[in-house]
């Protein structure tokens, strides 16, 4: 069956589209960030939650310490860390409708992780400060 692409006005077969789609999905799998891989792996290994990287929604943020909930960074550490951090925020819902949130904190201008947090339905399950802060 031939279909016309309305954007290019060219024809292609459905088989070609399926092949291109499979190649695109394979390419996307290679683009998954180390933060998402950590989140999915930790959920599976430590909490028995089976989700895929494609299920995860993510967003990058820069937040000042006055914008961060104390559940993520204890108040006593506010003196040690810079006034802002960059965050990779990841959210996924499991099969039982629990909302899991994973957060990786970075120092500004650094690729190094300094904080890992996982919450389940807004309750902290994991909060780990990494050696870059120690």
């Amino acid at each position: 069956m031939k279909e016309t692409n309305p954007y290019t006005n060219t024809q292609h077969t459905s088989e070609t589209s399926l092949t291109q789609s499979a190649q695109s999905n394979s390419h996307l799998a290679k683009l998954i960030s180390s933060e998402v891989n950590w989140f999915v792996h930790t959920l599976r290994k430590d909490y028995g939650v089976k989700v895929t990287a494609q299920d995860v929604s993510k967003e990058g943020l820069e937040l000042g310490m006055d914008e961060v909930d104390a559940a993520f960074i204890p108040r006593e550490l506010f003196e040690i860390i810079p006034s802002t951090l960059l965050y990779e925020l990841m959210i996924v819902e499991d099969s039982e409708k629990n909302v899991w949130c994973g957060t990786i904190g970075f120092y500004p201008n650094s690729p190094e992780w300094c904080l890992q947090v996982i919450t389940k339905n807004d309750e902290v399950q994991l909060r780990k400060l990494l050696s870059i802060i120690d």
Side-chain angles (χ1 to χ4, degrees):
M1 176 177 156
K2 292 200 179 216
E3 300 173 351
T4 301
N5 182 330
Y7 301 105
T8 62
N9 202 26
T10 58
Q11 292 186 346
H12 60 276
T13 63
S14 294
E15 182 177 319
T16 303
S17 295
L18 291 174
T19 302
Q20 290 170 342
S21 177
Q23 289 172 344
S24 177
N25 287 342
S26 173
H27 181 65
L28 286 175
K30 294 176 186 176
L31 296 176
I32 296 168
S33 70
S34 58
E35 292 81 18
V36 172
N37 280 329
W38 165 81
F39 183 51
V40 169
H41 176 76
T42 303
L43 288 180
R44 184 176 301 256
K45 183 179 123 242
D46 296 347
Y47 304 101
V49 176
K50 295 179 182 170
V51 296
T52 67
Q54 289 76 21
D55 297 330
V56 177
S57 298
K58 60 186 188 286
E59 180 178 5
L61 306 164
E62 180 175 8
L63 297 174
M65 291 303 107
D66 58 336
E67 300 173 285
V68 179
D69 190 304
F72 285 89
I73 302 175
R75 295 282 175 210
E76 62 270 13
L77 293 175
F78 279 32
E79 310 294 318
I80 299 170
I81 57 180
S83 60
T84 64
L85 286 179
L86 303 177
Y87 296 92
E88 179 76 21
L89 176 66
M90 300 155 285
I91 300 172
V92 70
E93 188 175 284
D94 67 19
S95 60
E96 297 175 6
K97 304 295 182 203
N98 294 304
V99 176
W100 294 85
C101 177
T103 304
I104 298 291
F106 302 85
Y107 281 124
N109 303 318
S110 172
E112 299 297 322
W113 297 4
C114 60
L115 175 70
Q116 297 171 324
V117 178
I118 291 181
T119 64
K120 175 184 175 186
N121 301 326
D122 295 326
E123 291 184 25
V124 174
Q125 305 295 306
L126 167 79
R127 181 177 56 204
K128 182 177 181 183
L129 296 168
L130 303 175
S131 61
I132 196 166
I133 290 180
D134 293 343

